[in-house]
Amino acid sequence: MLIKESHADVQTNVDGKETSMRIFVFHPTIPQYPNARFPGIVLFSEIYQVTGPVARFARQIAGQGYIVAAPSSYHDFTGPEALAYDVPGTDQGNEWKVKKTLQSYDEDSYKTVDYLLTLPTCSGRIGATGMCLGGHLALRASLDPRISACVAYFATDVHSRTLGPHSGADTSAQGPENSNHTIDKLGEIRGEVAMIFGIKDTHVPDPGRDLIRQKLRSAGVVFSFYEFAWAQHAFIRDELSKGRYDPAITKVCFEVLLELFGRVLKTDLGPRDGKPEKIEHVC
């Protein structure tokens, strides 16, 4: 499927500050079908904003028949340009990641979904995906009931409650009272979620992944949980991945994404009835 690339600048107003957020748009096109309609996907980037690898990932998804909208997360502090995959870029991205408030992240997500729903070519069904910081943001975006499907790649800071301003990591099962952290609000998710991790990911160690899985299950979320034995953090980044890019596992994970998005966003499932499914115990 062919792709048309563009961008839209959307105004946000949060924390007493009005800024312009650039949304990079990757739109599928079918010759002679100008009124074709597609599901929308919000694609959240890693801490470097919309880099080459993120744009290539967006094109892959768009080529399968989805309108992909990738917001620039750090518009509170800078322009839409990508940060470099080097030490200064990494340090800057990590600094802004915790300086930006959860309210600002939520505003970005809502505004991007709003934008997709204004497009006459959008079917009205919305999914979310992302990697690293973006994996967390995709999961958090799913608190919005308008998002029906989420594929989160190696989502950071979920288990430790360290996204946005914080006083230190908190990996407790219960969490603080009236917590606004993503892991403590999973019961609000109404869509289906796929979580993808590498077992050798030092950013989300075994206890962290176990906590995320436990919290998803106790919250009653419909989810799949994938862990790959030899994958490290950032294993889908095909450029400057510091030796961690694994194309074979990346391919498998993209099939996971296509299955979930295809089943939930391209099929008219109607509302879920909530009735317990009776599974026959057979060999």
Side-chain angles (χ1 to χ4, degrees), residues 52-239:
V54 175
R56 287 191 286 276
F57 184 49
R59 293 182 191 109
Q60 285 185 305
I61 298 171
Q64 299 295 323
Y66 299 92
I67 306 169
V68 179
S72 299
S73 293
Y74 293 149
H75 60 91
D76 311 61
F77 316 110
T78 189
E81 297 78 19
L83 299 177
Y85 286 123
D86 57 15
V87 172
T90 299
D91 290 346
Q92 186 66 86
N94 279 322
E95 177 186 336
W96 285 336
K97 177 183 71 172
V98 297
K99 187 175 181 180
K100 184 180 174 80
T101 66
L102 293 177
Q103 291 79 7
S104 182
Y105 284 120
D106 292 343
E107 174 84 349
D108 294 355
S109 174
Y110 273 79
K111 288 283 189 176
T112 306
V113 174
D114 287 346
Y115 169 76
L116 283 168
L117 292 176
T118 65
L119 300 177
T121 50
C122 180
S123 69
R125 293 182 181 161
I126 308 294
T129 189
M131 67 292 290
C132 188
L133 163 65
H136 187 153
L137 296 180
L139 180 64
R140 186 172 181 87
S142 300
L143 301 175
D144 182 343
R146 298 177 297 175
I147 291 182
S148 303
C150 165
V151 179
Y153 288 81
F154 38 89
T156 55
D157 301 298
V158 177
H159 69 288
S160 54
R161 300 178 174 91
T162 47
L163 180 65
H166 61 84
S167 56
D170 179 356
T171 58
S172 62
Q174 186 63 33
E177 187 176 0
N178 300 319
S179 171
N180 191 31
H181 290 290
T182 306
I183 198 168
D184 301 311
K185 296 171 70 69
L186 297 175
E188 299 178 20
I189 294 177
R190 296 294 173 263
E192 183 173 341
V193 173
M195 303 295 294
I196 298 173
F197 290 102
I199 287 180
K200 294 187 178 296
D201 188 336
T202 59
H203 294 258
V204 192
D206 293 351
R209 298 194 307 277
D210 291 344
L211 178 61
I212 295 169
R213 185 189 299 106
Q214 171 197 334
K215 295 285 279 188
L216 284 165
R217 183 167 290 119
S218 62
V221 178
V222 177
F223 74 97
S224 300
F225 206 95
Y226 301 89
E227 296 176 290
F228 292 89
W230 300 105
Q232 301 180 53
H233 192 68
F235 67 84
I236 68 170
R237 189 200 301 162
D238 64 359
E239 176 185 324

